[in-house]
Amino acid sequence: MKTYHFDTVVERDGSVRLSGLPPSQQVEIVVLQRTPVSGELQDWLHSVRERHPFAKMSKAEILESLRQTRELVWAERYES
């Protein structure tokens, strides 16, 4: 099974024209309606991105932090 992603706007009459699909094949089309993110939610996400400790870390630093946390939790639960 292969997945194709299209990002397009629906016409006023409700139609959409897609190209690049496999010819003579049965396909399933799923439509996801995107809703704009509210200003309040956008502000909250921006705030989280500014103050979260992982926001200023590299991927390697985040993974190391998560490994340390995992080891600490394991020790607390199973080494007692």
Side-chain angles (χ1 to χ4, degrees):
M1 181 167 89
K2 188 168 184 180
T3 303
Y4 299 87
H5 293 273
F6 298 91
D7 187 7
T8 187
V9 177
V10 178
E11 299 294 331
R12 288 181 176 261
D13 65 354
S15 66
V16 174
R17 182 171 173 87
L18 302 175
S19 61
L21 294 171
S24 304
Q25 297 290 316
Q26 182 177 356
V27 296
E28 179 177 337
I29 297 179
V30 177
V31 177
L32 302 173
Q33 183 177 352
R34 293 186 184 171
T35 55
V37 178
S38 72
E40 184 177 327
L41 181 58
Q42 195 69 25
D43 292 344
W44 178 78
L45 287 171
H46 183 69
S47 170
V48 168
R49 288 184 185 115
E50 285 183 342
R51 60 188 160 84
H52 196 279
F54 287 172
K56 294 172 179 62
M57 293 179 161
S58 68
K59 180 179 177 180
E61 292 171 324
I62 293 170
L63 290 174
E64 181 58 31
S65 176
L66 292 173
R67 283 186 196 99
Q68 290 174 0
T69 302
R70 179 186 62 201
E71 291 171 7
L72 178 65
V73 169
W74 190 91
E76 287 176 356
R77 294 192 77 177
Y78 299 108
E79 291 182 355
S80 54

